Amino acid sequence: MNSIWYFEDVNVFKLLCPHKFKEYKQCHTFDYYKKNDYVYFESDAAKKVYLIEKGKVKIGYYTEDGNEVVHAILTKGELFGEKAILGEETRREFAQSVDNTTSICPISVDAMHELMRDNQKFSLKVYKFLGFRFKKLERRLQLLLFKDIKTRLLEFLNELCEQYGHDCKHTGDKVIEHPYTQKEIASLIGTSRPTLNSIMNELKEAKVISFNRKEIRILQKSA
């Protein structure tokens, strides 16, 4: 299984949402999805990009034998369907809601192009974001192709720490309060849930991490 976990460490929704532009504010709407609802399917026309206001969205595709390949599970503040900005006409993956209360801001490609044309600062932010995403995708693919599962997990935890982590004042541990289930983490690093559990317990016994359902701690090593 190939997987790429998350793309950006900033709230792109706050940066790009057209609701902030007066000329689009009146006609700006949100779409709402329940768990397992599809936002779009493979081969659908790529006429919009999407910003997540609330919830989680899974991006992936199905192989010829019906196996699901997860590219990403995106959360609040993140963007997907962005290749439409660059001219993609047909979707090459599906987008599916993971939560029961997912709220998404759809933006037509024409509206996005108009905003970019009329606002140079906004346009530069969009292209900077896209460039950053493609570089990060390349790095993810190299990691998945050439690293073992434990290394992929540790890299994933480091990136989660950058996005969701904070220091524990009392112990110096890095505390990661993240939105992912163990099943989702397993999919995102390209392994099975039993294998993930085995490696996480191994790291726990080695006092590298501790974890429960709501958080993971990267433990501060004693001198």
Side-chain angles (χ1 to χ4, degrees):
M1 178 186 293
N2 291 329
S3 306
I4 300 163
W5 33 94
Y6 64 86
F7 295 119
E8 181 56 286
D9 299 329
V10 299
N11 191 320
V12 181
F13 179 88
K14 292 180 180 179
L15 185 69
L16 303 182
C17 183
H19 187 68
K20 295 185 176 297
F21 294 85
K22 185 170 62 176
E23 60 268 36
Y24 289 93
K25 191 169 185 177
Q26 297 301 320
C27 62
H28 179 243
T29 60
F30 291 90
D31 293 337
Y32 301 93
Y33 299 87
K34 294 184 179 180
K35 187 175 182 179
N36 297 326
D37 286 348
Y38 285 88
V39 181
Y40 57 75
F41 297 93
E42 294 180 63
S43 300
D44 279 357
K47 296 181 179 180
K48 297 179 180 179
V49 296
Y50 303 87
L51 291 161
I52 304 173
E53 182 199 25
K54 183 173 65 173
K56 289 188 288 187
V57 174
K58 177 170 61 178
I59 309 296
Y61 68 92
Y62 293 101
T63 63
E64 292 183 359
D65 54 3
N67 291 324
E68 181 182 89
V69 178
V70 179
H71 279 182
I73 296 175
L74 304 177
T75 60
K76 179 179 178 180
E78 296 187 281
L79 171 77
F80 63 98
E82 75 286 347
K83 290 180 182 178
I85 300 173
L86 302 177
E88 181 181 76
E89 297 181 352
T90 304
R91 301 295 184 191
R92 298 181 182 179
E93 75 285 317
F94 66 79
Q96 184 182 31
S97 173
V98 179
D99 284 349
N100 273 319
T101 56
T102 297
S103 174
I104 292 172
C105 166
I107 313 168
S108 73
V109 174
D110 289 343
M112 182 64 80
H113 284 164
E114 186 175 344
L115 284 168
M116 292 170 68
R117 183 175 60 250
D118 296 341
N119 189 316
Q120 185 178 14
K121 186 176 180 180
F122 177 81
S123 180
L124 288 172
K125 287 180 179 179
V126 171
Y127 284 122
K128 184 177 180 181
F129 166 78
L130 293 175
F132 180 84
R133 172 166 288 190
F134 293 143
K135 285 183 180 180
K136 208 165 187 180
L137 281 171
E138 183 179 3
R139 185 157 62 93
R140 294 292 179 275
L141 286 171
Q142 291 175 347
L143 187 68
L144 291 166
L145 287 171
F146 300 114
K147 301 298 182 180
D148 59 78
I149 296 171
K150 182 185 288 186
T151 302
R152 298 204 299 264
L153 174 59
L154 290 171
E155 173 74 8
F156 176 69
L157 293 179
N158 285 334
E159 301 233 12
L160 276 186
C161 191
E162 291 178 7
Q163 188 173 22
Y164 298 106
H166 60 87
D167 292 329
C168 177
K169 294 181 180 179
H170 301 293
T171 64
D173 298 340
K174 296 289 186 180
V175 181
I176 306 169
E177 297 176 348
H178 62 91
Y180 302 111
T181 66
Q182 283 202 1
K183 182 179 178 181
E184 290 168 352
I185 292 174
S187 295
L188 292 170
I189 66 170
T191 190
S192 66
R193 187 173 177 180
T195 300
L196 173 67
N197 286 336
S198 177
I199 294 174
M200 289 189 72
N201 283 322
E202 179 183 331
L203 292 172
K204 184 177 181 179
E205 290 177 7
K207 297 184 179 179
V208 175
I209 65 171
S210 66
F211 60 92
N212 55 43
R213 293 183 63 183
K214 295 184 178 181
E215 69 175 36
I216 300 172
R217 286 180 176 244
I218 299 177
L219 302 178
Q220 179 68 30
K221 292 183 179 180
S222 301

